[in-house]
Amino acid sequence: VIDGATKIRVSFSDEVEYEAKIIGQDKKTDVALIKIDKSGLEYLKLGDSAALRIGDQVMAVGNPFGVGQTVTVGIVSALGRSIGLIDYEEFIQTDASINPGNSGGALVDMDGELGGINTAMLSRSGGSQGVGFAIPVNMASKIMGMLKEDGKVTRAWLGVSPQEISSAMADALGMEKPRGVMLASVTEDTPAEKAGLKEGDIILSADGKEMNSVSLLRNYISLCGVGHKAKLIIMRDGKEKKVTVTLGE
């Protein structure tokens, strides 16, 4: 969506243009919410991107190269991908053909529900090489709710510097396999410090969800909402402990 714009024009299969109001946009996730001045539109049911598994079949819908509405089929190749394209990433990777013009199109699961929003591809030739990425619908839904409510996204804050746990670190810590993220530092006078988190703690889960990467922890915490009481399970000195953190802004 063009910076500074408040309205755009959109068209559907009837090729008639309709006015749409931009409710809000979030550059850090590349998601925008628009309201279309047209009644009686069909809509696609939102699915659950957390239910997707590697190997699940999906369809990518879009308008590649401007040739017209096109559907391609593939599988979920990976989940939780981070490729350095935008600030907050948790991409669904798919080998369904995605080309220039697919951006913003639907990634649909086999129940006919929206699983993600096609947004990027990796290619050395400019054409599809089977490495495409979609924003998970669960992330987009949270952004949509904030944009609808406030017209902007306000992110929550923990106040730590986390790092991935390597196989060597896991061995040194007596873990069977790498899990969780370690706190390299805890900033003073932050929600994390006030809750008693310390350097060297390992966050294993937040609100019952496993946190096995820095990007997953960052993405989850940021969209919990300011004031949310996040229930963490941490490991300290080889023992698991429950900690509740009231997130700041």
Side-chain angles (χ1 to χ4, degrees):
V1 178
I2 298 172
D3 285 346
T6 56
K7 292 183 179 181
I8 56 175
R9 299 192 68 79
V10 297
S11 62
F12 302 95
S13 55
D14 56 11
E15 298 184 355
V16 177
E17 286 196 342
Y18 301 91
E19 191 172 87
K21 179 182 178 182
I22 300 173
I23 304 299
Q25 54 184 309
D26 180 49
K27 293 181 181 179
K28 293 186 176 183
T29 53
D30 200 26
V31 173
L33 176 65
I34 64 173
K35 183 177 180 180
I36 301 167
D37 188 18
K38 177 176 168 62
S39 60
L41 290 175
E42 299 279 349
Y43 63 90
L44 187 59
K45 184 179 178 180
L46 302 185
D48 179 10
S49 52
L52 289 174
R53 295 292 180 264
I54 295 171
D56 284 356
Q57 198 168 34
V58 287
M59 297 181 293
V61 183
N63 185 12
F65 302 111
V67 299
Q69 183 166 300
T70 301
V71 178
T72 54
V73 178
I75 63 167
V76 174
S77 305
L79 296 165
R81 283 287 195 231
S82 179
I83 59 175
L85 181 66
I86 50 181
D87 290 350
Y88 290 85
E89 298 177 334
E90 197 179 321
F91 289 131
I92 301 164
Q93 182 180 326
T94 176
D95 68 350
S97 292
I98 292 177
N99 287 287
N102 272 109
S103 293
L107 188 72
V108 182
D109 63 25
M110 288 299 104
D111 291 323
E113 298 177 349
L114 183 67
I117 303 172
N118 301 323
T119 190
M121 56 179 252
L122 286 182
S123 174
R124 292 178 177 173
S125 65
S128 175
Q129 294 186 322
V131 187
F133 301 95
I135 300 166
V137 69
N138 291 9
M139 176 183 282
S141 294
K142 288 186 178 180
I143 297 295
M144 177 181 70
M146 292 181 182
L147 293 176
K148 185 176 180 180
E149 187 72 23
D150 303 319
K152 64 178 182 178
V153 174
T154 302
R155 288 184 164 80
W157 180 54
L158 188 58
V160 299
S161 295
Q163 68 179 70
E164 309 280 352
I165 294 180
S166 65
S167 296
M169 290 172 64
D171 288 340
L173 293 165
M175 292 180 169
E176 293 183 2
K177 62 179 181 179
R179 55 192 286 249
V181 292
M182 179 176 283
L183 303 186
S185 65
V186 177
T187 307
E188 291 182 7
D189 196 29
T190 62
E193 187 195 45
K194 292 174 182 177
L197 292 178
K198 299 178 181 179
E199 180 181 328
D201 286 347
I202 299 171
I203 296 179
L204 300 175
S205 68
D207 297 330
K209 303 177 188 298
E210 291 186 355
M211 296 290 140
N212 290 324
S213 72
V214 170
S215 61
L216 182 59
L217 175 66
R218 184 171 182 252
N219 292 341
Y220 180 77
I221 291 296
S222 70
L223 295 178
C224 277
V226 177
H228 173 73
K229 296 184 184 299
K231 294 178 173 57
L232 308 181
I233 295 180
I234 68 168
M235 181 178 288
R236 180 184 295 168
D237 300 326
K239 298 179 180 179
E240 293 188 9
K241 180 180 179 180
K242 295 180 180 179
V243 176
T244 300
V245 184
T246 302
L247 302 177
E249 179 176 348

